[in-house]
Amino acid sequence: MKSKTALISLLLGILSFIHLFGIEKAAMAIIFGTIALKEGLEDKKSGYMAKSGILLGLLYLVVLTVVSIKYFPEMFKLIENLK
Amino acid sequence: MKCDDAIKKLSAYLDNELKDNLRTELENHLKICPDCSREHETLAGNAKFMLTLPEIEPSPYFIQQTLAKIRKTERREKGFFTWVPVPAMAVLILVLLSYFLSFSIKVFALEPESRKKIAGHAFESAVKGSHVLGHVSFKKFCKRSCDILCECKICPMYQNKGDKMIR
């Protein structure tokens, strides 16, 4: 692949049409961070950046999952009451 | 053959590594293109000059030292950060999507009036915290939304009358 930034541009353009509470951004952060680490990085700073991106993406997904697990049962109860 | 392709193949041509059809194509191109022909002469001249230079004996352990340097620069990460994040992400996304999908299916199965109540309840939960950020901006936001569904019950602009807020 000649230009990785061109590929990233294309992927982000496609993702502009998808809105899933930021899940798509977290997924991209994790995937690109993992790819960067597997390819091998020349300096420590890049490694820290990739790891930070992965951790932030995972943290967001965990927070969103915890909030969903906490609040969705209430919403489901509300739906059952409205039936 | 375009000039970009011809320039890229010149090195392989000088080393006799090109296939016959590509070789013929390149030779035909060199006959008609003065720039590529000049580039070919320069490269061929450099190659001939290199052959006239004396051979240098590498230092002892040259190969081992070079490989060690390569291994040092290639910081391939192994362990947690290469194997855990992607499967963890897949599991979390599956859990989230299953919640959203089941919620959407149940909501769409409801009557429109009931769906409106759900929307009001969800909106109320979402904006409850926002009034601490700015009293004025909260009022503006809430008023705009309450034009659509006046059931937020938290906007200080509106009077409370039973279950519904009226202006």
Side-chain angles (χ1 to χ4, degrees):
Chain A
M1 198 176 302
K2 280 189 181 173
S3 177
K4 290 180 183 173
T5 37
L7 171 66
I8 291 169
S9 171
L10 172 66
L11 285 172
L12 288 173
I14 293 168
L15 280 177
S16 305
F17 292 95
I18 300 171
H19 299 281
L20 276 176
F21 294 91
I23 292 173
E24 72 284 355
K25 291 193 276 287
M28 284 294 112
I30 292 168
I31 289 168
F32 283 122
T34 309
I35 291 171
L37 289 175
K38 280 193 173 174
E39 277 177 354
L41 295 163
E42 286 176 11
D43 59 329
K44 279 187 177 179
K45 198 178 173 186
S46 306
Y48 292 144
M49 280 165 56
K51 287 176 189 175
S52 302
I54 290 170
L55 285 173
L56 287 170
L58 275 175
L59 180 66
Y60 178 77
L61 288 176
V62 165
V63 165
L64 195 61
T65 307
V66 166
V67 167
S68 300
I69 290 171
K70 194 179 173 191
Y71 286 107
F72 267 103
E74 282 178 30
M75 301 300 284
F76 288 142
K77 268 187 205 168
L78 185 64
I79 293 170
E80 292 302 317
N81 292 341
L82 287 168
K83 270 187 184 169
Chain B
M1 184 179 275
K2 289 185 184 172
C3 289
D4 286 340
D5 289 335
I7 300 287
K8 282 177 195 167
K9 289 178 171 58
L10 274 177
S11 187
Y13 172 71
L14 287 168
D15 293 334
N16 292 319
E17 286 172 358
L18 279 185
K19 289 183 186 173
D20 289 339
N21 56 337
L22 283 172
R23 188 186 180 81
T24 314
E25 213 180 317
L26 180 62
E27 283 170 354
N28 292 337
H29 179 81
L30 289 174
K31 283 176 191 169
I32 57 171
C33 178
D35 292 331
C36 292
S37 180
R38 204 177 311 124
E39 186 68 25
H40 169 249
E41 280 168 17
T42 309
L43 274 176
N46 289 344
K48 269 188 191 168
F49 173 71
M50 294 295 279
L51 289 171
T52 62
L53 293 172
E55 239 182 72
I56 302 171
E57 274 294 317
S59 56
Y61 306 110
F62 172 73
I63 293 171
Q64 289 88 338
Q65 283 171 345
T66 308
L67 287 172
K69 280 180 188 172
I70 290 170
R71 263 180 247 122
K72 202 176 167 185
T73 53
E74 266 184 358
R75 293 175 186 273
R76 284 180 194 267
E77 204 58 47
K78 289 177 187 176
F80 174 83
F81 281 102
T82 40
W83 298 112
V84 174
V86 174
M89 173 193 78
V91 166
L92 289 169
I93 288 177
L94 272 173
V95 168
L96 286 166
L97 287 179
S98 63
Y99 266 115
F100 293 147
L101 197 63
S102 56
F103 180 75
S104 306
I105 290 169
K106 289 189 181 194
V107 166
F108 279 112
L110 290 173
E111 297 291 322
E113 278 303 313
S114 306
R115 254 186 268 161
K116 213 173 168 185
K117 282 183 183 170
I118 293 269
H121 189 86
F123 171 70
E124 188 184 325
S125 307
V127 300
K128 244 176 194 166
S130 63
H131 69 277
V132 301
L133 297 173
H135 189 60
V136 173
S137 50
F138 171 72
K139 274 187 188 177
K140 278 188 197 169
F141 178 73
C142 191
K143 187 189 174 186
R144 227 180 283 140
S145 301
C146 281
D147 283 336
I148 302 162
L149 33 96
C150 285
E151 295 181 47
C152 68
K153 297 179 192 176
I154 45 175
C155 181
M157 273 184 76
Y158 295 86
Q159 288 179 346
N160 194 352
K161 189 168 184 181
D163 282 337
K164 286 195 179 174
M165 305 297 263
I166 58 162
R167 273 175 241 173

